[in-house]
């Protein structure tokens, strides 16, 4: 008989078991990608510069370890970290000792900085033909030398509105996902071709990918998930807010039935008077009442404090 899937926990796949990854990448995108690679079974090693002069012993050379130790600890849980000064002969010797037994190198330096350290793709491929490299940069190609950060990439992609900062670091985390995807592609290519590959992952490309729904008009104020559909909005309620996502026709119909709105077809949800009626109903409900309504009527919503 098949196992009882209702009670048997799903065992996560470990497709990178036996793959050795060395990361030189600092801050957030590289370590976040490395965390995902470890979760997929890779043996992960992180090399970072020594801590700042005058800092307490054990201070990380990764800026993330200095300005947010909690995030740094989460990102590097179970990952061996070496302190290596790549600008010294001793540090270079230690790095190349590790590279000789590495399958995949993850970096986040500008190309010119890698070249100065003797770590250009041309030099690495000549010395280690089987080694693959995933290079995280800010912008692709010739723009890889330009300074930038998550905020500037999101702004360029049209994802920064008003004066409020974005709720999270979308480009950095999206770039981490793209880097881990690139690592999987590299391992597949290694197994079929028997040699290493080079892939560049640009954070600006990650921002542009995340911006596609906006480019298509979906999340603009006139779009169905930008506020034009009365069933897909954030409304105030009696003691907080409610994130309502009754987008599909059957969910919208359940919402309309609960709020006393006559729904002829999906176009109903785009009418101003329907927005007003739903807003009025929700404003009179408590979070507890709305949570109960959602369960009883199968309406996708999530209540929030004010």
């Amino acid at each position: 008989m098949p196992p009882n899937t209702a009670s048997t926990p799903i065992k996560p796949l470990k497709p990178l078991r036996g793959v050795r990854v060395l990361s030189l990448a600092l801050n957030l995108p590289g370590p976040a990608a490395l965390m995902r690679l470890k979760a997929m079974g890779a043996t992960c090693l992180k090399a970072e510069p020594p801590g700042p002069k005058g800092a307490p012993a054990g201070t990380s050379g990764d800026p993330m370890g200095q300005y947010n130790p909690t995030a740094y600890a989460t990102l590097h849980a179970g990952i061996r970290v070496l302190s290596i000064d790549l600008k010294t002969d001793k540090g270079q010797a230690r790095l190349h000792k590790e590279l000789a037994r590495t399958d995949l190198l993850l970096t986040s330096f500008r190309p010119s900085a890698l070249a100065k350290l003797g770590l250009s793709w041309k030099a690495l491929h000549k010395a280690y033909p089987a080694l693959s490299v995933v290079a995280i940069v800010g912008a692709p190609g010739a723009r890889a030398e330009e300074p930038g950060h998550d905020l500037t990439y999101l702004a360029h992609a049209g994802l920064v509105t008003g004066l409020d900062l974005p709720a999270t670091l979308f480009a950095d985390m999206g770039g981490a996902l793209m880097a881990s995807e690139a690592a999987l592609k590299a391992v597949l290519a290694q197994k079929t071709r028997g040699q290493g590959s080079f892939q560049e992952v640009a954070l600006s490309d990650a921002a542009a990918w995340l911006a596609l729904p906006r480019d298509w008009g979906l999340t603009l104020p006139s779009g169905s998930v930008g506020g034009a559909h009365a069933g897909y909005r954030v409304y105030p309620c009696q003691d907080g807010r409610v994130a309502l996502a009754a987008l599909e026709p059957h969910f919208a119909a359940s919402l309309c039935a609960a709020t006393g709105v006559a729904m002829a077809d999906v176009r109903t949800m785009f009418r101003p008077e329907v927005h007003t009626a739903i807003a009025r109903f929700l404003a009179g409900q408590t979070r507890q009442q709305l949570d109960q309504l959602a369960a009883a009527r199968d309406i996708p919503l999530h209540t929030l404090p004010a």
Side-chain angles (χ1 to χ4, degrees):
M1 295 180 65
N4 181 3
T5 55
S7 59
T8 304
I10 298 174
K11 188 175 181 179
L13 292 174
K14 300 286 185 178
L16 296 183
R17 193 181 298 278
V19 175
R20 294 159 298 184
V21 178
L22 170 62
S23 177
L24 306 179
L26 308 177
N27 288 309
L28 181 57
L34 191 65
M35 181 173 66
R36 292 187 65 81
L37 298 179
K38 180 181 181 299
M40 288 187 275
T43 299
C44 297
L45 174 67
K46 163 86 174 296
E48 59 186 42
K53 289 184 179 180
T59 300
S60 170
D62 186 331
M64 176 66 79
Q66 299 163 34
Y67 58 71
N68 196 315
T70 300
Y72 178 88
T74 300
L75 289 164
H76 296 84
I79 293 174
R80 183 165 157 247
V81 178
L82 298 177
S83 178
I84 299 179
D85 187 349
L86 298 180
K87 297 178 181 179
T88 66
D89 291 342
K90 181 180 179 181
Q92 283 283 327
R94 180 62 189 276
L95 173 68
H96 284 276
K97 179 181 178 182
E98 297 298 339
L99 284 174
R101 53 194 181 204
T102 293
D103 299 303
L104 177 77
L105 175 66
L106 185 64
T107 71
S108 63
F109 296 103
R110 299 185 198 188
S112 59
L114 288 172
K116 288 179 183 178
L117 294 171
L119 300 175
S120 68
W121 167 240
K122 182 178 180 180
L124 286 171
H125 192 50
K126 181 179 180 180
Y128 311 102
L131 176 70
S132 289
V133 174
V134 173
I136 300 172
V137 296
R143 295 182 53 216
E145 295 292 334
E146 295 178 7
H149 239 304
D150 182 277
L151 184 60
T152 57
Y153 304 133
L154 293 181
H156 187 264
L159 296 177
V160 177
T161 57
L163 298 178
D164 291 335
L165 291 172
T168 189
L169 300 173
F170 292 103
D172 283 355
M173 297 305 285
L177 289 173
M178 293 175 72
S180 61
E181 179 185 66
L184 288 171
K185 290 192 291 185
V187 170
L188 287 173
Q190 281 174 328
K191 292 184 181 298
T192 56
R193 300 188 317 189
Q195 62 179 2
S197 61
F198 175 83
Q199 294 175 84
E200 182 182 82
V201 173
L203 300 181
S204 62
D205 286 346
W209 171 257
L210 294 174
L212 284 176
R214 189 171 181 83
D215 294 342
W216 296 329
L218 287 170
T219 60
L220 294 176
S222 58
S224 56
V225 291
H229 188 293
Y232 199 96
R233 294 189 64 131
V234 179
Y235 291 93
C237 63
Q238 195 175 105
D239 57 351
R241 297 169 293 155
V242 54
L244 181 63
L247 185 64
E248 291 86 345
H250 62 287
F251 288 138
S254 294
L255 173 66
C256 287
T259 56
V261 172
M263 181 178 173
D265 54 44
V266 73
R267 291 173 296 181
T268 300
M269 306 307 293
F270 293 86
R271 294 173 182 161
E273 63 271 21
V274 173
H275 281 255
T276 301
I278 291 175
R280 185 185 302 116
F281 173 84
L282 296 173
Q285 303 292 306
T286 65
R287 293 177 61 194
Q288 183 179 16
Q289 287 174 321
L290 290 173
D291 290 336
Q292 292 172 347
L293 180 69
R297 300 278 191 139
D298 192 31
I299 299 172
L301 62 80
H302 184 81
T303 59
L304 301 156

